[in-house]
Amino acid sequence: MISPTLFIDVILPLALPKLYTYRVPMELNDTVVIGKRVVVSFRGNKLYTGLIKTIKETPPVDYEAKYILSVLDDEPVVTERQYELWEWMASYYMCTLGEVMNAALPGGLKLQSETKITLTEGYKDHTKIMNDKEFLIVDALEINNIITLDEVSKILDQKTVFPIIKGMMDRGLLLIHEEMNTKYKPRKMIYVRLSDAYADKNLLSKELDLLGKKAPKQAELLMSFLKLLMDNKDLREVAREELIKYADSSTAFVQELVKKGIFELEEKEVSRLSNSSQDVEDKLELNEFQVQAFQEIKDHFQEKDILLLHGITSSGKTEIYIHMIEEMIAQGKQVLYLLPEIALTTQIINRLKKHFGNLVQIYHSRLSENERVEVWKNMLNKSTDKSVTNISVILAARSGIFLPYHDLGLIIVDEEHENSFKQYDPSPRYHARDSAMVLAKLFHAKTLLGSATPSIESYYNATNNKYEMVTLTKRHGGVLLPGILLVNIAEEKRKKRMKSHFSQLLLDEIKIALDTKEQVILFQNRRGFAPILECVTCGWTPHCINCDVSLTYHKANESLRCHYCGYVGKIPKSCSACGNNDIKMKGFGTEKVEEELSIFFPDAVIARLDLDSTRSKYSYQQIIGDFETNKINVLVGTQMVTKGLDFNNVTIVGILNADSMLNFPDFRSFERSYQLMAQVSGRAGRKQKRGKVIIQCQNELHPIIQQVLNNDYEKMYAQELLERNKFHFPPYFRLIKLTLKHKDYNVIDNGAHQLAKDLKQVLGARVLGPEAPLVARVRNLFLKDILIKIEREASIKNAKKMIMDAVTNFKGLSDYKSVSVHIDVDPY
């Protein structure tokens, strides 16, 4: 029987509106399966790793299909359900499958293509007609055998070398081939075991005696090896690194024992993932309020698949999650536990590990590429090999929604209100909370949203019966909510009672806490030392050369930094505008708070928790660990200190400048200010003692500050609904934002007005703008925003089609082909 001619639609890691079709060589017909990776050629000789999406027997109509070059996998690396989620994301967030693929696949499963050239066997027959540039290339190849096109560019000192290479190839001088370099390499370790000859105990004893006399270091190493085996009866071999560390020895002594035939070495592939055994603790008993909530959750899940758990800070939501996870594991189901920022959740990781041991796996961007690939492969193995005892609980940041689950039963979205769940760049600009609900639906699983301060949309859906809702209004252990004290900064300054950025009340309370060996958290939602340097004479401030934003002063390394593009500048000695050397700092960040606090309390140990202090892989864990064990007295931080932290000894929380959050130009600023202040307040007095929260502000009568003071989420929610209904914001309207970018201001200004005009013709008054955003130039690209508000009753599908048609037509105009248009659905 003749094999049919097969064609496959391939997802390429590019922003292509359609899938590209390739032809399968007959000899590979039996190897192509949906979800496998293939190597294909695209854009000339450029090679890409693509994913097989569909298999068919019909060729493309508009172009001749190229052959695939190879199939990379024995088994699919992507499942059908993953493809279903990808297709929904591409449709809902108005992006391409290639962009979703780029976000979903770990980097280690993607390949890099590097063009290399080498000489043909008969190249010497053609050397008589070479020019100088060709001679330089041949000369380099005779020395190095293979070189890259980048190296050719350097040799010839010119950027475009392909025409020269192509001419030499046509004359039979060169061969071009693409060498695929996979990023993922398995981790290998060398293991030590006793050779079979020394299985005889008598012989081994004699050898030990002999070594003891002639080579005592080798004898100690052998004894250490035997002790490790005795301590673990099931052990037959030991990792060489572990043995050397345990015996305080070296590789040289291991090699000596190998030469003598006592040890044998074997290299094995091992997992990079932490699999250390630890004692698994029993789960804590729930109190009466938690028991009631837990039962209500189970009852409501009989009716609906999505539930909001609205529990005040320290009400014990995590313990309820643990009981829900245990039930799912007993049913043989998997659980995805989503957290807003994995680096900020050390405590939850430890708590889950204590309860579920090695059934828990962490997945986030701070894992190495190789570690991420191993998590991915472990989950694929579980789905195909039922004998493998593998991952039951995935603890992850937003990227966890992309993993290859096989029997997902529950998704927990902790701190569901957090905007960290939203991906802003690059595309797909998805929200992990909303995408998680779709993922759960694909598996007929349940979604549990948890927060002390739910997002307006989630609370609206819960109160309108789209979701179920369960509330927890009592703190665990009967601990009272902290007392909140307001300090009017303007009044304190007038009475000259402010000491730098600290009120006298705050300093007094910090002193009392330190004297009684208690701890303090101070919240300032701006990092760095000072956000602005300003000339006293003319008001000039140093700005980023790439962005329309002032540079932030960082004292630790005496530099000015842009928090948008990363540009680093020197501190000016004088004003660039008027030449005056009287330049003052304005505002303050966490770095300045840390420094000045050490002046007031020189004996206190003060640490900072922000993006600058937690850049290394384990720095966050180190800071939190030291704070938990009372090695740190005062913790100064940005919003990092508001998330997922539970400390026994914190009695004072200070919010240094509440007004900076309230005055931010964003329709969500009041909601987010309430959430941040309520969350950071919840860090105080979480165990035996009632805590205090001191809020420093200019306007203590501001409605949001009064609502935080009274812990009145309902009033904040009701007020926000009135405003949003009036001004057409979510949850009553859907938002889609288009951001245009270009290096030429005139091009982007004219283009933005043209696109807005086209959109208004089909969508009318729903289209607002174009307007320049708050920061109108980033990385030397000018920005213009167009905001579209679509009422909930309208067809979002039709609206998106109109928007895509308008953008496609706009990109087809010759004047605007170079303008980038970024589409962001649910942008805020």
Side-chain angles (χ1 to χ4, degrees):
M1 181 178 176
I2 300 173
S3 297
T5 301
L6 295 182
F7 295 87
I8 57 173
D9 291 329
V10 174
I11 305 174
L12 292 169
L14 304 168
L16 301 175
K18 296 180 181 179
L19 300 184
Y20 209 71
T21 303
Y22 287 87
R23 186 172 178 174
V24 181
M26 289 288 185
E27 64 271 18
L28 296 180
N29 272 9
D30 294 335
T31 64
V32 291
V33 176
I34 291 172
K36 283 188 177 183
R37 294 175 300 159
V38 290
V39 179
V40 295
S41 174
F42 191 74
R43 291 176 176 169
N45 289 324
K46 185 73 173 173
L47 298 191
Y48 289 93
T49 305
L51 283 166
I52 301 174
K53 180 65 174 61
T54 53
I55 302 172
K56 57 190 181 183
E57 296 184 17
T58 54
V61 176
D62 300 322
Y63 56 92
E64 184 178 350
K66 300 177 183 178
Y67 283 100
I68 64 169
L69 302 179
S70 64
V71 179
L72 291 177
D73 305 302
D74 296 327
E75 298 291 339
V77 297
V78 176
T79 66
E80 290 281 2
R81 280 205 180 104
Q82 283 176 289
Y83 275 156
E84 289 180 62
L85 178 66
W86 292 12
E87 287 174 334
W88 174 83
M89 291 183 78
S91 172
Y92 185 83
Y93 292 107
M94 301 176 72
C95 61
T96 67
L97 276 174
E99 290 171 313
V100 180
M101 171 188 167
N102 263 334
L105 277 187
L109 288 178
K110 301 169 193 173
L111 300 180
Q112 293 179 322
S113 174
E114 185 181 14
T115 304
K116 295 189 176 183
I117 57 172
T118 187
L119 294 168
T120 62
E121 288 183 2
Y123 77 94
K124 290 183 178 178
D125 297 337
H126 307 276
T127 55
K128 293 179 181 178
I129 54 172
M130 287 195 306
N131 59 35
D132 290 344
K133 289 183 178 180
E134 291 171 339
F135 179 84
L136 286 172
I137 295 170
V138 169
D139 190 44
L141 283 168
E142 286 179 332
I143 297 170
N144 296 308
N145 193 28
I146 295 174
I147 59 175
T148 66
L149 293 187
D150 282 342
E151 289 168 336
V152 173
S153 293
K154 291 175 183 176
I155 291 166
L156 301 184
D157 194 23
Q158 67 181 66
K159 288 184 178 180
T160 308
V161 297
F162 198 80
I164 299 170
I165 301 299
K166 186 175 183 300
M168 294 177 72
M169 183 182 169
D170 291 342
R171 299 204 311 274
L173 281 161
L174 300 178
L175 290 174
I176 290 182
H177 77 277
E178 294 281 330
E179 180 172 306
M180 301 300 295
N181 299 317
T182 180
K183 291 181 180 177
Y184 173 68
K185 293 181 181 179
R187 183 188 180 195
K188 294 185 177 181
M189 289 183 68
I190 294 174
Y191 282 82
V192 181
R193 62 168 175 257
L194 275 178
S195 62
D196 293 340
Y198 286 88
D200 185 330
K201 290 183 180 179
N202 292 327
L203 184 59
L204 185 60
S205 180
K206 289 179 182 178
E207 190 64 44
L208 264 172
D209 290 338
L210 187 62
L211 287 172
K213 296 173 183 176
K214 294 186 176 181
K217 290 287 186 183
Q218 294 174 35
E220 287 176 19
L221 179 62
L222 182 54
M223 284 296 295
S224 296
F225 175 81
L226 295 173
K227 189 175 186 309
L228 283 171
L229 295 190
M230 287 173 64
D231 290 344
N232 190 334
K233 302 294 185 184
D234 297 326
L235 211 60
R236 294 289 176 270
E237 58 189 8
V238 179
R240 184 174 64 182
E241 289 178 13
E242 182 185 346
L243 175 60
I244 290 170
K245 185 177 179 181
Y246 180 78
D248 193 20
S249 187
S250 69
T251 306
F253 291 118
V254 175
Q255 288 301 126
E256 287 300 320
L257 291 175
V258 170
K259 288 178 184 177
K260 291 173 179 174
I262 300 171
F263 279 167
E264 291 179 350
L265 302 181
E266 183 182 2
E267 189 177 58
K268 289 186 175 183
E269 185 176 323
V270 295
S271 173
R272 290 180 171 82
L273 307 175
S274 174
N275 198 33
S276 56
S277 60
Q278 57 179 305
D279 295 332
V280 178
E281 293 184 357
D282 293 331
K283 63 183 186 299
L284 295 176
E285 289 298 319
L286 302 179
N287 64 29
E288 58 179 307
F289 306 106
Q290 291 171 315
V291 168
Q292 182 181 345
F294 180 59
Q295 191 57 51
E296 286 178 11
I297 290 170
K298 293 201 294 183
D299 292 343
H300 285 318
F301 271 151
Q302 302 296 322
E303 303 294 326
K304 287 191 174 73
D305 292 333
I306 304 172
L307 183 142
L308 172 64
L309 177 58
H310 181 199
I312 62 171
T313 54
S314 197
S315 57
K317 295 185 291 295
T318 306
E319 287 304 326
I320 293 175
Y321 299 156
I322 288 169
H323 279 68
M324 291 296 301
I325 291 169
E326 187 177 61
E327 289 211 347
M328 285 295 156
I329 291 175
Q331 297 172 29
K333 301 280 189 179
Q334 290 175 304
V335 178
L336 169 59
Y337 192 137
L338 281 177
L339 296 154
E341 292 182 47
I342 200 74
L344 309 179
T345 51
T346 305
Q347 293 178 321
I348 294 177
I349 291 167
N350 292 337
R351 287 172 75 175
L352 289 187
K353 285 274 189 182
K354 284 178 181 177
H355 288 293
F356 304 109
N358 291 326
L359 294 176
V360 180
Q361 180 58 60
I362 302 160
Y363 188 78
H364 57 87
S365 59
R366 290 204 181 186
L367 293 179
S368 70
E369 287 186 354
N370 291 331
E371 288 170 330
R372 288 166 68 103
V373 169
E374 289 196 23
V375 175
W376 190 285
K377 289 192 170 184
N378 279 358
M379 297 196 68
L380 283 171
N381 290 338
K382 177 73 174 182
S383 64
T384 57
D385 184 357
K386 299 299 180 184
S387 67
V388 175
T389 302
N390 222 323
I391 302 166
S392 295
V393 184
I394 283 284
L395 190 62
R398 58 177 179 254
S399 59
I401 63 170
F402 293 117
L403 284 167
Y405 301 95
H406 60 88
D407 201 2
L408 194 59
L410 173 68
I411 299 179
I412 298 167
V413 186
D414 197 14
E415 308 294 351
E416 64 83 28
H417 65 277
E418 277 287 344
N419 64 341
S420 304
F421 283 122
K422 170 73 176 177
Q423 159 103 353
Y424 290 100
D425 271 311
S427 187
R429 297 172 179 86
Y430 66 96
H431 199 295
R433 177 196 60 210
D434 301 337
S435 302
M437 296 179 199
V438 176
L439 175 64
K441 188 176 180 181
L442 294 175
F443 282 91
H444 305 290
K446 308 297 181 183
T447 305
L448 178 57
L449 310 176
S451 177
T453 54
S455 64
I456 297 294
E457 285 88 340
S458 292
Y459 200 76
Y460 178 83
N461 287 331
T463 52
N464 285 275
N465 297 318
K466 186 175 180 181
Y467 306 161
E468 293 289 357
M469 182 164 65
V470 172
T471 58
L472 273 170
T473 57
K474 300 287 184 182
R475 287 186 128 193
H476 193 271
V479 176
L480 295 173
L481 283 167
I484 299 179
L485 305 172
L486 301 181
V487 178
N488 189 314
I489 298 175
E491 183 68 12
E492 290 292 295
K493 285 181 178 177
R494 188 181 69 80
K495 293 181 179 179
K496 298 182 179 179
R497 290 203 297 244
M498 287 293 289
K499 295 184 178 178
S500 185
H501 306 293
F502 308 98
S503 63
Q504 188 60 54
L505 174 63
L506 179 58
L507 290 174
D508 290 345
E509 292 293 343
I510 292 172
K511 185 177 187 307
I512 292 169
L514 294 176
D515 288 345
T516 53
K517 306 298 182 185
E518 293 166 346
Q519 291 172 293
V520 178
I521 289 177
L522 296 182
F523 171 64
Q524 168 62 6
N525 205 24
R526 185 182 283 276
R527 60 191 172 98
F529 193 87
I532 296 174
L533 295 183
E534 184 179 85
C535 173
V536 173
T537 305
C538 70
W540 170 85
T541 61
H543 277 66
C544 176
I545 61 171
N546 304 315
C547 312
D548 286 344
V549 65
S550 60
L551 294 170
T552 300
Y553 172 49
H554 287 253
K555 190 171 183 179
N557 47 23
E558 286 295 321
S559 64
L560 295 175
R561 290 179 176 271
C562 175
H563 289 174
Y564 282 82
C565 72
Y567 167 78
V568 179
K570 294 181 180 179
I571 299 166
K573 294 181 179 178
S574 60
C575 173
S576 294
C578 70
N580 194 311
N581 59 5
D582 191 5
I583 298 174
K584 299 288 187 185
M585 298 176 196
K586 291 240 175 175
F588 64 102
T590 51
E591 198 178 353
K592 189 175 184 182
V593 175
E594 179 188 24
E595 181 183 280
E596 293 193 346
L597 205 62
S598 65
I599 298 171
F600 293 113
F601 303 102
D603 296 329
V605 179
I606 302 165
R608 181 162 43 92
L609 188 69
D610 57 23
L611 185 62
D612 298 316
S613 66
T614 57
R615 291 191 184 277
S616 63
K617 188 172 183 178
Y618 300 109
S619 52
Y620 177 85
Q621 288 89 328
Q622 181 66 47
I623 295 169
I624 293 303
D626 287 348
F627 196 60
E628 277 186 307
T629 55
N630 292 321
K631 293 177 183 176
I632 295 170
N633 306 123
V634 183
L635 187 62
V636 179
T638 57
Q639 58 183 306
M640 284 186 174
V641 299
T642 71
K643 304 172 187 178
L645 302 177
D646 183 8
F647 301 113
N648 298 338
N649 199 33
V650 173
T651 55
I652 300 297
V653 167
I655 298 173
L656 297 179
N657 186 7
D659 306 275
S660 63
M661 298 178 283
L662 292 166
N663 297 328
F664 195 77
D666 182 338
F667 80 93
R668 288 194 190 278
S669 63
F670 284 5
E671 174 192 0
R672 286 184 177 152
S673 295
Y674 179 92
Q675 288 165 343
L676 276 171
M677 284 190 274
Q679 290 284 344
V680 76
S681 299
R683 305 310 114 199
R686 296 176 65 86
K687 294 296 177 184
Q688 288 78 24
K689 184 177 177 180
R690 188 184 188 192
K692 286 183 183 178
V693 178
I694 297 157
I695 300 178
Q696 298 185 164
C697 56
Q698 298 279 353
N699 180 11
E700 56 193 306
L701 297 178
H702 192 288
I704 291 296
I705 290 177
Q706 288 297 311
Q707 287 152 14
V708 172
L709 180 67
N710 299 316
N711 192 36
D712 197 345
Y713 175 87
E714 294 283 348
K715 193 168 184 179
M716 183 276 295
Y717 168 75
Q719 183 62 41
E720 282 297 292
L721 281 191
L722 288 173
E723 295 287 323
R724 296 188 187 188
N725 192 19
K726 181 179 179 181
F727 294 106
H728 296 179
F729 284 110
Y732 300 104
F733 280 70
R734 299 176 187 270
L735 302 182
I736 298 175
K737 185 174 76 170
L738 307 184
T739 300
L740 287 74
K741 298 183 179 183
H742 197 270
K743 61 184 178 181
D744 187 314
Y745 178 79
N746 291 325
V747 171
I748 195 174
D749 187 48
N750 294 333
H753 281 90
Q754 178 64 52
L755 180 56
K757 179 183 174 183
D758 296 343
L759 287 166
K760 285 173 182 176
Q761 288 179 352
V762 290
L763 292 169
R766 299 180 181 91
V767 181
L768 302 177
E771 291 289 340
L774 194 62
V775 179
R777 183 176 61 102
V778 175
R779 293 184 172 90
N780 282 322
L781 294 175
F782 291 97
L783 279 62
K784 287 280 186 173
D785 288 344
I786 299 171
L787 186 64
I788 303 166
K789 298 181 177 181
I790 302 164
E791 59 273 24
R792 287 278 171 179
E793 300 75 28
S795 169
I796 188 67
K797 185 177 179 181
N798 290 341
K800 286 178 178 177
K801 185 179 184 306
M802 293 175 188
I803 293 168
M804 285 303 299
D805 288 345
V807 170
T808 302
N809 292 335
F810 172 77
K811 293 290 287 181
L813 299 174
S814 59
D815 290 342
Y816 306 121
K817 285 184 183 294
S818 57
V819 175
S820 297
V821 182
H822 293 175
I823 303 176
D824 193 353
V825 179
D826 305 333
Y828 300 103

